[in-house]
């Protein structure tokens, strides 16, 4: 089980590397909507519902440490 998980990690890194030079972040696979190369998760127009669980209740980073406001003004 452990080796399988390690293998999937290596696969994910290998698959995402061709696009990773577009952004300093390595967004999860479910972030499928590209905005000028910055990968956004679907539901981005309602972030206070869809993004707060990882990007923080105030959208300033939370557990993943990526704040919406480092690229956007204070919109939400
Ligand atoms: C299940 C957790 C989770 C949810 C929910 C989530 N994100 Fe993320 N997001 C992440 C992680 C993890 C990263 C990558 C962090 C890193 O690379 O350090 C990330 C990175 C990003 C980035 C930077 C990617 C890039 O290419 O620069 C954007 C933009 C983003 N998320 C937008 C959103 C939006 C918009 C939503 C809501 C619709 C959302 N995220 C919801 C976990 C999540
Ligand atoms: C790495 C930079 C980056 C991060 C982090 C980021 N965005 Fe974006 N986002 C962009 C770019 C670039 C665009 C497209 C250009 C624009 O319209 O500002 C965009 C567009 C959008 C749009 C489309 C509407 C609009 O204003 O153009 C929404 C909604 C959005 N982002 C929400 C979010 C949310 C919510 C987060 C945090 C979870 C987030 N973004 C984090 C770079 C980023």
């Amino acid at each position: 089980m452990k080796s399988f998980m390690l293998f999937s990690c290596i696969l994910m890194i290998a698959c995402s590397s061709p696009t990773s030079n577009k952004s300093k972040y390595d967004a999860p696979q479910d972030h499928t909507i590209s905005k000028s190369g910055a990968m956004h998760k679907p539901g981005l127009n309602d972030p206070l519902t869809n993004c707060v669980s990882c990007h923080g209740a105030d959208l300033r980073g939370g557990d993943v440490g990526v704040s919406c406001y480092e690229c956007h003004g204070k919109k939400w």
Side-chain angles (χ1 to χ4, degrees):
M1 189 56 192
K2 254 187 181 160
S3 61
F4 172 74
M5 286 176 66
L6 182 67
F7 181 64
S8 341
C9 284
I10 291 167
L11 260 187
M12 281 169 66
I13 291 163
C15 293
S16 61
S17 58
T19 49
S20 63
N21 61 338
K22 289 180 183 165
S23 168
K24 58 182 168 163
Y25 297 119
D26 198 9
Q29 298 280 326
D30 64 356
H31 286 43
T32 51
I33 299 176
S34 175
K35 292 283 182 187
S36 307
M39 298 313 290
H40 291 58
K41 194 172 150 82
L44 64 163
N45 289 309
D46 196 5
L48 293 172
T49 302
N50 301 314
C51 316
V52 288
S53 57
C54 299
H55 290 271
D58 54 2
L59 297 173
R60 288 183 185 281
D63 289 341
V64 300
V66 178
S67 169
C68 305
Y69 303 126
E70 63 190 73
C71 303
H72 295 276
K74 178 83 178 94
K75 294 161 65 104
W76 298 286

